[in-house]
Amino acid sequence: MAKIAVVGPGALGGTLAAWLANDARHDVTLCARTGFDRLIAETPEGVLNVSLTVLTDPVKATPVDWVFVAVKTYDSAATLPWLEKLAGEGTRIAVVQNGVEHVARFNELMPGREIVPVVVDLPAGRKAPGHVLQNAIGWIVVPDGPHGADFVDLFADAPMDVQAVSNWTSRAWQKLCLNCVGAFSTLTMRSTGPVWNEDVERMLRGLVTECAEVGRAEGADIPDELVEGLIERERNSAEGVGNSLYTDRLNGRPMEIDARNGVIVRLGAKHGIPTPMNQLFVTLLNASGSPWATK
Ligand SMILES: NC(=O)c1ccc[n+]([C@@H]2O[C@H](COP(=O)([O-])OP(=O)(O)OC[C@H]3O[C@@H](n4cnc5c(N)ncnc54)[C@H](OP(=O)(O)O)[C@@H]3O)[C@@H](O)[C@H]2O)c1
């Protein structure tokens, strides 16, 4: 039986935890900031309603085989007390976050540990602590390195497309291309389709082209068609279809600005690639919310 701990059982962590706990081969513990009694996940395949151990104090945690970290990127450092108790000999730490810096971020926190970076396209939301809504089946990819097959096996009984891939870096940057354009609708609080004009297109094209150029410098394969497809998707987006950055701003929560756009600016500077459009949106988004909401 695999012992699994999920740190940050919010929208995504809660959804993954519910599917993992639904498999009799797994013993799942939730490590939460806000406690709750039962985990309910409304999924496209029906409702999962599971009773499992929910810890809110890291002191009570013990070593497990797998840790899933699914907190927002800006809360990563706050998981250290959990990780120090959960990580033992051979523990794998699966980092389920947006962006491309999963390994760097957690290598810094837990040097020498086995970090498995996870890219997910699985739209999920939170209704209440312990109550999540999975909006689509989605996909999950990890690198096909030493832990890839074991990770995929954890989800053998779940109706999800989970794969260990040889082009993880490309998949992560391709997802970042999708995420980085969300800065526009987050700033304007409008979908791009209804307000589309030449200037909007120029700004969207700037955001995604810069991301693609920096990603290519980092070794990712990002076809031109992907860039054009994303711009077309934004051109046709309907009002009210927000991304998670938009939802966080709408709800007065901190935003993952650095993991979604700041990283393009930082890594662009490393490669000598100008990223003025991402820099502009980082600056404006950081200035747009409450001081506490701009991490
Ligand atoms: N949701 C999606 O559809 C989706 C899709 C793809 C990728 N992602 C990425 O997945 C990551 C997680 O996103 P999410 O939408 O699941 O976020 P979320 O709903 O905000 O969940 C994060 C959870 O982490 C908890 N948390 C924060 N600090 C903690 C700590 N120190 N110890 C324990 N728990 C802690 C929060 O607790 P509280 O309940 O107290 O706030 C919350 O339950 C992000 O990087 C996001 O970009 C999300």
Side-chain angles (χ1 to χ4, degrees):
M1 180 166 280
K3 288 185 77 175
I4 303 170
V6 178
V7 181
L12 194 54
T15 301
L16 298 182
W19 282 114
L20 289 165
N22 197 45
D23 185 328
R25 298 175 304 154
H26 306 325
D27 172 10
V28 180
T29 298
L30 302 182
C31 303
R33 185 168 60 184
T34 308
F36 49 87
D37 294 332
R38 293 190 73 80
L39 177 62
I40 300 168
E42 296 178 37
T43 83
E45 303 283 311
V47 177
L48 302 175
N49 186 335
V50 285
S51 168
L52 22 73
T53 307
V54 182
L55 302 179
T56 53
D57 183 353
V59 168
K60 297 187 175 148
T62 54
V64 294
D65 301 312
W66 284 90
V67 181
F68 279 63
V69 185
V71 298
K72 289 273 172 54
T73 49
Y74 46 75
D75 279 328
S76 297
T79 65
L80 189 56
W82 288 112
L83 297 178
E84 283 172 340
K85 296 292 286 188
L86 293 165
E89 190 73 27
T91 298
R92 271 83 65 94
I93 301 175
V95 179
V96 189
Q97 291 180 326
N98 266 324
V100 293
E101 296 177 299
H102 310 56
V103 175
R105 192 176 298 121
F106 280 85
N107 263 344
E108 200 176 309
L109 286 174
M110 295 291 284
R113 294 292 180 173
E114 300 294 338
I115 311 293
V116 181
V118 187
V119 169
V120 175
D121 190 346
L122 190 159
R126 261 200 288 177
K127 286 189 153 182
H131 190 164
V132 298
L133 178 64
Q134 179 189 355
N135 293 306
I137 291 294
W139 54 258
I140 300 175
V141 293
V142 294
D144 65 353
H147 312 298
D150 290 347
F151 181 94
V152 172
D153 184 57
L154 293 175
F155 291 93
D157 282 349
M160 291 172 179
D161 179 11
V162 186
Q163 291 184 35
V165 297
S166 58
N167 63 343
W168 186 88
T169 299
S170 298
R171 297 291 291 269
W173 277 93
Q174 289 169 9
K175 175 89 196 293
L176 191 63
C177 285
L178 169 72
N179 282 339
C180 75
V181 297
F184 186 99
S185 54
T186 303
L187 192 64
T188 59
M189 300 308 274
R190 298 286 309 271
S191 294
T192 44
V195 296
W196 196 263
N197 60 35
E198 277 180 14
D199 287 338
V200 173
E201 175 165 348
R202 187 172 51 80
M203 295 181 115
L204 269 284
R205 192 173 285 282
L207 286 169
V208 69
T209 304
E210 289 170 11
C211 182
E213 285 173 4
V214 177
R216 287 171 187 140
E218 287 281 305
D221 176 24
I222 302 174
D224 288 338
E225 305 82 72
L226 181 128
V227 172
E228 292 308 318
L230 286 173
I231 292 167
E232 207 47 33
R233 179 184 148 129
E234 289 298 311
R235 185 199 307 273
N236 296 316
S237 64
E239 193 65 276
V241 182
N243 58 77
S244 69
L245 200 68
Y246 172 103
T247 309
D248 282 342
R249 183 167 181 227
L250 193 65
N251 292 312
R253 292 196 291 255
M255 295 179 274
E256 290 183 309
I257 301 166
D258 184 65
R260 295 167 65 120
N261 296 90
V263 61
I264 298 166
V265 176
R266 285 185 282 105
L267 295 179
K270 185 179 105 182
H271 293 288
I273 298 171
T275 55
M277 199 58 77
N278 278 279
Q279 178 63 75
L280 176 69
F281 277 88
V282 167
T283 303
L284 292 176
L285 280 171
N286 276 331
S288 71
S290 315
W292 52 266
T294 56
K295 294 182 187 179

